[in-house]
Amino acid sequence: MLIAALLAALAVCCWPGRWSRATADAAARGEPVGGGTWGRWRARVAGGVRRGRQPPWVADLAEVTAVGLAAGLDLASAASVAARSPGIEAAAPWLGPRIAESVASGGAVLVLEPEPAALSSQDRRDLRVLEAAWHLTEEAGAASSVVTAAAAESIRARRAATDRAGVVAAGPRASMWLLSALPVAGPLAALLVGLTPGQLYGTGPAQAAAAVGLLLTALGWSWSRGLLRRALRAGRTDGSVG
């Protein structure tokens, strides 16, 4: 009974849930991402390090383009000049040729299809914001420099909100790990004082109590993980959660 309860608790804790953005980014880059909590944790750490080192180059692209538009350039020329700036070219070397090819064929300035394989989900969302802003200027005749600068501000605000959400979630996530590890630490502490697992769980009531404790730990982990995921889910303008 005790072994079955332990296996059930491990299955709940390691059950592959919805992939995080960092896991999807790692998979898109071809990195090995295993299932379960360990694989998601490894990809999340790698993605967090990568995001910490990579600046919001899409916001930089929008700001440089807005400067060119304010100086009198058209959208295609301003975007091409911005894409050739050192920082943006280092982060997205595919962008300049993509813009030039699209403009030469008479298409939109920013075309994301097909998407580059190395494009992260965060950069993809940022580019969608910029793409929508430029589509607005082309369709509605809005001031290109103002709309592009507003898009850059929006992208930076979304990045800052994501960083704040990660900081806020760090405490509850650490508590989840700590509280889930406490039941496992009990037998280890008993070994330190000379008690074997057979002596601890040799009776029926002890085995039943351990099984219930493990199942409750698994249930608490699953509930806390779902609660944290819903709390971090982005909200909509109507107040609901998407």
Side-chain angles (χ1 to χ4, degrees), residues 170-186 217 221 224:
R173 189 174 288 115
S175 299
M176 286 171 53
W177 283 102
L178 177 62
L179 295 177
S180 299
L182 285 178
V184 182
T217 299
W221 173 272
S224 300

Side-chain angles (χ1 to χ4, degrees), residues 126-146:
D126 294 344
L127 284 172
R128 293 296 181 187
V129 173
L130 187 57
E131 182 185 30
W134 288 349
H135 181 73
L136 176 64
T137 63
E138 293 172 353
E139 295 294 329
S144 300
S145 59
V146 176

Side-chain angles (χ1 to χ4, degrees), residues 26-169:
R29 293 191 304 271
E31 298 177 1
V33 179
T37 302
W38 170 249
R40 293 196 303 274
W41 177 81
R42 182 177 57 183
R44 186 180 299 117
V45 171
V49 172
R50 179 185 53 78
R51 285 195 301 269
R53 293 177 179 176
Q54 181 179 3
W57 62 268
V58 181
D60 295 339
L61 171 67
E63 289 176 347
V64 176
T65 303
V67 172
L69 291 170
L73 297 177
D74 59 274
L75 181 56
S77 300
S80 299
V81 172
R84 291 196 302 268
S85 63
I88 298 172
E89 190 173 16
W94 54 269
L95 184 61
R98 177 75 64 90
I99 292 177
E101 180 181 356
S102 178
V103 172
S105 61
V109 174
L110 182 60
V111 178
L112 298 180
E113 300 295 341
E115 293 180 349
L119 191 64
S120 69
S121 59
Q122 182 67 63
D123 291 338
R124 187 180 302 114
R125 281 189 297 272
D126 294 344
L127 284 172
R128 293 296 181 187
V129 173
L130 187 57
E131 182 185 30
W134 288 349
H135 181 73
L136 176 64
T137 63
E138 293 172 353
E139 295 294 329
S144 300
S145 59
V146 176
V147 174
T148 304
E153 184 178 354
S154 174
I155 291 170
R156 293 195 185 278
R158 290 179 59 178
R159 286 292 186 105
T162 301
D163 293 341
R164 287 194 299 269
V167 172
V168 171

